[in-house]
Amino acid sequence: GEELHRMFTEYARMRYRILPYIYSAAIEGHETACPMVRPMALEYPNDSACAAPAKQYLLGPSLLVTAYADQVYLPAGRWTDAFTGDEYVGPCTIEDFRPSAGRGGGLFIRGGAVIPNWSDRRFITEKDERTIALDIWPDGNSDYVFREDDGVSLDCNVRLACRTKIEVRSNADAIRVHIGAREGE
């Protein structure tokens, strides 16, 4: 129906917007063997509560995704509901969780996250990919390595991807972002 079509379209556009983040996580997985889709226990091995949540996972280092979950566990740190803007400080459990209207589940952004993204588009090649924006969720000090390659060849099998280190330093008075020089081709 129309409502599901609208939801699918919005999720597809969201995926296209964060494709630089997803692609960077995929390259990280290739280089380090840390999967792009991560079970909670992998990212939080010292938090025994992360062993149980089967209906949630991390997408890359900073996005916590839930599916069919009526209870959401958020590990230590600051988390923001991507759809409502509600903030939580973990560790905590959200009981009786209900996704926002028109959403299939929850999406939470870890404090300190840097999410590279493109402008809104209907399909990958609709717009020029040379401009990448950064959504930054400051929370103390955090570092993120943005990885990219030519997106076409299999050169990633013989050399490391290009890397750009992004440092975020924040306190009550200021937020400082340092984007390092791109290393590699």
Side-chain angles (χ1 to χ4, degrees):
E2 190 126 345
E3 184 179 334
L4 288 176
H5 183 266
R6 191 174 20 259
M7 184 188 314
F8 172 78
T9 300
E10 193 168 335
Y11 276 118
R13 284 188 169 171
M14 182 189 315
R15 178 183 163 268
Y16 288 142
R17 277 193 308 273
I18 66 167
L19 209 49
Y21 172 82
I22 293 170
Y23 196 75
S24 182
I27 293 172
E28 177 186 12
H30 173 75
E31 293 176 354
T32 67
C34 184
M36 182 171 68
V37 175
R38 304 169 186 183
M40 301 295 294
L42 179 64
E43 195 74 14
Y44 296 94
N46 297 324
D47 185 341
S48 60
C50 285
K55 296 180 179 179
Q56 64 186 63
Y57 61 89
L58 286 168
L59 176 60
S62 301
L63 298 178
L64 189 151
V65 180
T66 71
Y68 307 108
D70 56 2
Q71 186 177 44
V72 176
Y73 177 73
L74 299 173
R78 185 173 308 280
W79 296 90
T80 302
D81 184 317
F83 303 128
T84 67
D86 292 342
E87 291 188 6
Y88 301 88
V89 176
C92 70
T93 300
I94 305 170
E95 303 286 349
D96 298 321
F97 175 75
R98 300 283 178 262
S100 302
R103 304 295 181 188
L107 179 63
F108 297 87
I109 304 165
R110 184 193 312 218
V114 175
I115 311 289
N117 60 85
W118 287 333
S119 61
D120 192 28
R121 60 191 66 214
R122 294 171 297 163
F123 50 91
I124 289 177
T125 57
E126 180 181 24
K127 297 181 181 176
D128 184 355
E129 298 104 30
R130 290 179 289 175
T131 300
I132 294 176
L134 300 175
D135 286 342
I136 298 174
W137 302 85
D139 186 28
N141 297 333
S142 61
D143 297 334
Y144 174 75
V145 177
F146 177 52
R147 294 168 170 86
E148 54 188 331
D149 63 16
D150 65 15
V152 178
S153 72
L154 294 177
D155 283 354
C156 63
N157 291 326
V158 294
R159 67 175 178 208
L160 290 177
C162 175
R163 298 160 184 263
T164 304
K165 185 173 182 181
I166 302 164
E167 299 171 330
V168 179
R169 304 294 179 255
S170 65
N171 58 38
D173 298 325
I175 300 169
R176 298 185 191 279
V177 178
H178 179 263
I179 302 172
R182 179 184 277 164
E183 296 178 8
E185 297 178 24

